[in-house]
């Protein structure tokens, strides 16, 4: 089944979000968990681990948390008729923030969910990804070509391609070891280090749709492309890591110690 997202826990187990549920890979073999085990929906869009070791999953029917191998369904907006599809997560020390594909950003702690900000720009635009830089600014990518949003001291600002973004369609975000924001768009990479600027990729102009971004423990960027290829390097030089991935659509990449796992659109794991 297609892998939509991955996470690697502290024990080195690989967690795969797919259209068939949640799969955990370890030395004893795969474990598949789905609605029979308590998942809200079998279509799992993404998975992360918080600082307490709990796994968080976004599904087509809302948010779930797995603790001690027991699922808990977490209702974000019980008063809403909207189908809530959490699109991305962000660990914030004692809380987890979740951004939603129908709009809105919420924080969760032991008391439940609450909106981070009621600004109409956050509520009205679908959020594809979320990241926090060391200055405590929270950055949100939109999937409706509205650009990049920033929450700082309660204020929301919007940045679009006229500021230097490669595209207004933001797919993924990451923060490098300098604290700078890396922005993956449907038309390539941008970097914000106080100013926005484009990062050049040695790629076919028709193959610059960035689908996943990670920063490896050694500080190198890992960049996955929808149209094929995984790049590794930094803002000055990004190089393809394996010719076998050149024409393979990349959904996600995870790094654990010296290993890299690549999830593809329809060609399995590498």
């Amino acid at each position: 089944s297609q892998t939509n997202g991955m996470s690697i826990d502290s024990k080195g187990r690989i967690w795969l979000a797919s259209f068939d549920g949640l799969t955990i890979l370890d030395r004893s073999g795969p474990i598949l968990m789905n609605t029979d085990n308590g998942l809200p929906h079998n279509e799992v869009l993404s998975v992360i681990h918080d600082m307490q070791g709990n796994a968080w999953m976004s599904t087509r029917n809302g948010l779930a948390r797995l603790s001690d191998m027991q699922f808990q369904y977490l209702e974000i907006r019980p008063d809403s008729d909207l189908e809530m599809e959490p699109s991305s997560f962000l660990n914030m020390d004692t809380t987890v923030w979740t951004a939603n594909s129908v709009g809105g950003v919420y924080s969760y702690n032991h008391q439940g969910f609450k909106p981070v900000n009621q600004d109409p720009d956050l509520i009205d635009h679908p959020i594809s990804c979320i990241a926090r830089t060391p200055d405590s600014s929270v950055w949100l990518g939109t999937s409706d070509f509205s650009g990049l949003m920033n929450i700082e001291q309660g204020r929301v600002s919007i940045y679009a391609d006229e500021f230097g973004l490669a595209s207004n369609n933001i797919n993924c975000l990451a923060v490098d070891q300098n604290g700078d924001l890396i922005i993956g768009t449907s038309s390539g990479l941008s970097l914000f280090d106080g100013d926005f600027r484009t990062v050049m990729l040695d790629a076919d102009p028709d193959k610059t749709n960035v689908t996943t971004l990670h920063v490896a423990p050694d500080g190198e960027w890992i960049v996955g492309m929808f149209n094929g290829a995984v790049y590794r390097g930094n803002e000055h030089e990004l190089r393809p890591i394996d010719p076998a991935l050149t024409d393979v659509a990349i959904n996600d990449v995870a790094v654990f110690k010296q290993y890299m796992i690549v999830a593809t659109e329809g060609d399995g794991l590498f």
Side-chain angles (χ1 to χ4, degrees), residues 38 82 102 108 111 113 208 230 248 268:
L82 293 172
V102 295
Y108 178 86
Q111 296 178 334
F113 285 97
T208 56
V230 177
V248 176

Side-chain angles (χ1 to χ4, degrees), residues 160-231:
D161 50 10
E162 61 262 29
F163 288 89
L165 284 174
S167 168
N168 289 336
N169 191 38
I170 314 297
N171 294 329
C172 47
L173 299 169
V175 179
D176 69 13
Q177 290 190 335
N178 297 320
D180 299 330
L181 184 71
I182 315 167
I183 306 147
T185 81
S186 57
S187 298
L189 280 173
S190 295
L191 181 71
F192 180 74
D193 56 3
D195 294 299
F196 289 99
R197 52 195 173 90
T198 300
V199 177
M200 299 304 296
L201 278 168
D202 184 18
D204 186 314
D206 295 327
K207 295 185 176 183
T208 56
N209 188 354
V210 179
T211 54
T212 184
L213 278 173
H214 294 277
V215 177
D218 62 4
E220 286 203 313
W221 300 3
I222 310 294
V223 182
M225 316 295 287
F226 176 77
N227 307 91
V230 177
Y231 292 82

Side-chain angles (χ1 to χ4, degrees), residues 4-270:
N4 299 318
M6 287 189 296
S7 181
I8 301 178
D9 65 20
S10 59
K11 299 177 182 178
R13 296 179 298 182
I14 304 171
W15 297 61
L16 306 175
S18 76
F19 292 122
D20 294 327
L22 177 72
T23 301
I24 307 169
L25 301 178
D26 64 11
R27 291 184 177 87
S28 62
I31 301 170
L32 176 63
M33 307 187 79
N34 51 35
T35 52
D36 294 337
N37 306 103
L39 261 177
H41 196 285
N42 281 340
E43 189 170 337
V44 183
L45 306 174
S46 59
V47 57
I48 67 160
H49 287 83
D50 64 21
M51 296 179 182
Q52 289 72 45
N54 302 309
W56 295 70
M57 288 129 279
S58 75
T59 79
R60 288 294 183 197
N61 198 30
L63 185 66
R65 180 177 60 185
L66 183 65
S67 181
D68 297 324
M69 300 306 284
Q70 297 292 320
F71 284 106
Q72 178 185 6
Y73 172 62
L74 301 171
E75 198 167 27
I76 299 176
R77 288 178 61 183
D79 60 334
S80 175
D81 294 330
L82 293 172
E83 181 183 7
M84 303 302 288
E85 296 181 5
S87 59
S88 188
F89 301 99
L90 176 66
N91 284 318
M92 297 281 283
D93 302 326
T94 60
T95 64
V96 169
W97 287 26
T98 179
N100 291 283
S101 59
V102 295
V105 183
Y106 298 82
S107 66
Y108 178 86
N109 58 23
H110 65 280
Q111 296 178 334
F113 285 97
K114 66 177 183 179
V116 169
N117 192 301
Q118 295 284 11
D119 189 290
D121 285 322
L122 292 182
I123 297 171
D124 295 341
H125 295 291
I127 308 298
S128 57
C129 48
I130 181 170
R132 182 179 66 165
T133 46
D135 61 1
S136 296
S137 291
V138 175
W139 297 85
L140 307 160
T142 66
S143 56
D144 64 350
F145 291 88
S146 295
L148 183 69
M149 298 184 185
N150 171 250
I151 306 174
E152 187 173 11
Q153 297 180 347
R155 297 191 303 271
V156 177
S157 304
I158 302 178
Y159 300 93
D161 50 10
E162 61 262 29
F163 288 89
L165 284 174
S167 168
N168 289 336
N169 191 38
I170 314 297
N171 294 329
C172 47
L173 299 169
V175 179
D176 69 13
Q177 290 190 335
N178 297 320
D180 299 330
L181 184 71
I182 315 167
I183 306 147
T185 81
S186 57
S187 298
L189 280 173
S190 295
L191 181 71
F192 180 74
D193 56 3
D195 294 299
F196 289 99
R197 52 195 173 90
T198 300
V199 177
M200 299 304 296
L201 278 168
D202 184 18
D204 186 314
D206 295 327
K207 295 185 176 183
T208 56
N209 188 354
V210 179
T211 54
T212 184
L213 278 173
H214 294 277
V215 177
D218 62 4
E220 286 203 313
W221 300 3
I222 310 294
V223 182
M225 316 295 287
F226 176 77
N227 307 91
V230 177
Y231 292 82
R232 184 164 188 156
N234 53 44
E235 62 179 290
H236 305 294
E237 181 187 16
L238 287 162
R239 56 195 180 280
I241 64 167
D242 191 333
L245 298 172
T246 300
D247 295 315
V248 176
I250 309 300
N251 276 354
D252 203 0
V253 178
V255 178
F256 181 73
K257 296 183 178 178
Q258 71 270 34
Y259 301 104
M260 181 186 301
I261 301 97
V262 179
T264 68
E265 182 80 11
D267 295 281
L269 296 177
F270 285 82

